[in-house]
Amino acid sequence: MSHTVSLIRSADLSDVAEYAYAATAPAEARLIFLAGACPLNRDGSTVGVGDYAAQAGKAMENLVVALKAAGAELDNVVSTRVLVASSNRNDLVAAWEVVRAAFGRHDAPSTLMGVTVLGYPDQLVEIEAVAAVSD
């Protein structure tokens, strides 16, 4: 699998963020737009009720499965959006730490957002992504 994503950093921006501020993919890359990965088992049951980190972990597992089905992997991700059903910053950080660890050295640009509610019963975390591959 070709790794087509280039992560971009700027010395003119804070280095506090745990991700690159921008990313590019070559013009010939095939873009993959993933639906939000949810913390659901195959039977539709919600994993880790009340546990932000457990839900982030399952959502990442499901994201990896969806990427693989599209012919991609985490290193092909151009950007993410992490949605956390909470107004408590500690809950957002708990989910973010799991997501960040799963990506390892590939620190794609990301947005972490607290939202009021997500779509499934007891759902606390959802992770959207865009990836790019060269076939």
Side-chain angles (χ1 to χ4, degrees):
M1 223 168 289
S2 175
H3 300 285
T4 60
V5 175
S6 296
L7 301 177
I8 300 165
R9 299 165 198 331
S10 172
D12 295 329
L13 295 170
S14 171
D15 64 356
V16 172
E18 296 179 341
Y19 46 80
Y21 279 98
T24 62
E28 70 277 3
R30 175 172 54 93
L31 295 179
I32 303 165
F33 299 89
L34 293 109
C38 299
L40 303 177
N41 288 315
R42 283 187 55 139
D43 66 4
S45 61
T46 303
V47 171
V49 174
D51 186 334
Y52 291 91
Q55 288 201 7
K58 182 61 175 176
M60 284 303 301
E61 288 176 23
N62 290 342
L63 179 67
V64 169
V65 171
L67 284 164
K68 183 177 180 183
E73 56 191 31
L74 287 177
D75 283 350
N76 298 116
V77 170
V78 177
S79 67
T80 68
R81 184 174 323 167
V82 180
L83 309 172
V84 181
S86 178
S87 60
N88 182 325
R89 186 170 282 113
N90 291 332
D91 297 335
L92 276 71
V93 170
W96 173 250
E97 287 175 346
V98 173
V99 172
R100 182 68 196 95
F103 274 95
R105 294 182 52 131
H106 184 71
D107 57 347
S110 190
T111 299
L112 176 62
M113 300 174 55
V115 298
T116 57
V117 68
L118 292 166
Y120 292 100
D122 300 312
Q123 182 184 1
L124 300 173
V125 177
E126 188 162 333
I127 304 165
E128 298 176 4
V130 176
V133 295
S134 293
D135 294 323

